[in-house]
């Protein structure tokens, strides 16, 4: 075993990095990606510095793995922060408080309005087509409306 460690080649590190990256393809969530990249980086460093002893190679691998894992964790943690565009990807929120005319009468609590270039399902009190209504809420893809006073 000591003989193998003393003759550790950059090819061994590149093979380990490749193996970890292949395993990442099967869904490790990014963690093997960065460990594989750390192994590849140690492979490149051992190619550039062939006299680098194996304990230093393992130490570099450990440090680079921990460093990249911490950086990945911080990136994931920061990804959950609030957006500067809070309504992004929330269609229907842009219609809150706006007034539209009913496109189809509301019967049994369901009807349609034309908002923008599309028809939207609405729920509210039974009203005839053409009645001005105000959007007051949203339940999934259905807009909640009330009759304008």
């Amino acid at each position: 075993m000591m003989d193998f460690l003393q003759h550790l080649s950059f090819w061994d590190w590149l093979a380990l990095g490749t193996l970890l990256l292949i395993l990442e393809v099967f869904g490790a969530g990014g963690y093997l990606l960065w460990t594989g990249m750390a192994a590849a980086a140690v492979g490149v460093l051992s190619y550039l510095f062939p006299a680098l002893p194996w304990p230093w190679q393992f130490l570099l691998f450990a440090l680079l793995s921990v460093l990249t894992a911490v950086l990945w964790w911080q990136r994931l943690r920061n990804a959950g922060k609030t957006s500067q565009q809070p309504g992004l990807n929330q269609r229907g929120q842009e219609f809150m408080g706006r007034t539209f005319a009913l496109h189809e009468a509301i019967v049994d609590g369901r009807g349609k309005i034309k908002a923008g270039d599309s028809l939207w399902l609405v729920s509210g009190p039974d009203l005839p087509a053409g009645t001005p209504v105000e959007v007051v809420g949203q339940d999934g893809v259905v807009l909640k409306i009330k009759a304008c006073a």
Side-chain angles (χ1 to χ4, degrees):
M1 179 72 165
M2 287 300 284
D3 188 44
F4 172 74
L5 290 176
Q6 289 176 349
H7 294 95
L8 200 56
S9 166
F10 69 93
W11 287 114
D12 298 318
W13 287 108
L14 292 178
L16 175 63
T18 303
L19 176 67
L20 291 171
L21 292 175
I22 288 171
L23 291 174
E24 173 64 32
V25 171
F26 294 109
Y31 297 104
L32 292 180
L33 171 70
W34 302 110
T35 308
M37 295 298 283
V42 172
V44 169
L45 288 174
S46 64
Y47 176 76
L48 295 175
F49 304 103
L52 191 64
W54 68 268
W56 283 100
Q57 292 177 21
F58 277 95
L59 182 65
L60 279 172
F61 176 67
L63 289 174
L64 288 174
S65 295
V66 169
L67 178 69
T68 55
V70 167
L71 291 175
W72 177 250
W73 176 75
Q74 284 181 342
R75 182 183 180 282
L76 287 179
R77 191 180 64 174
N78 291 337
K81 303 242 178 182
T82 58
S83 169
Q84 298 206 5
Q85 298 174 333
L88 187 64
N89 293 331
Q90 294 180 357
R91 291 200 66 209
Q93 292 294 317
E94 62 195 75
F95 303 129
M96 295 299 200
R98 291 181 54 193
T99 303
F100 300 95
L102 278 176
H103 186 73
E104 291 181 15
I106 299 179
V107 178
D108 294 329
R110 296 287 182 164
K112 292 183 181 179
I113 62 171
K114 185 166 176 102
D117 62 349
S118 59
L119 291 175
W120 285 78
L121 291 172
V122 295
S123 66
D126 289 354
L127 297 168
T131 305
V133 294
E134 178 184 351
V135 178
V136 294
Q138 184 176 5
D139 184 19
V141 296
V142 178
L143 299 176
K144 297 179 181 181
I145 55 103
K146 70 175 185 175
C148 289

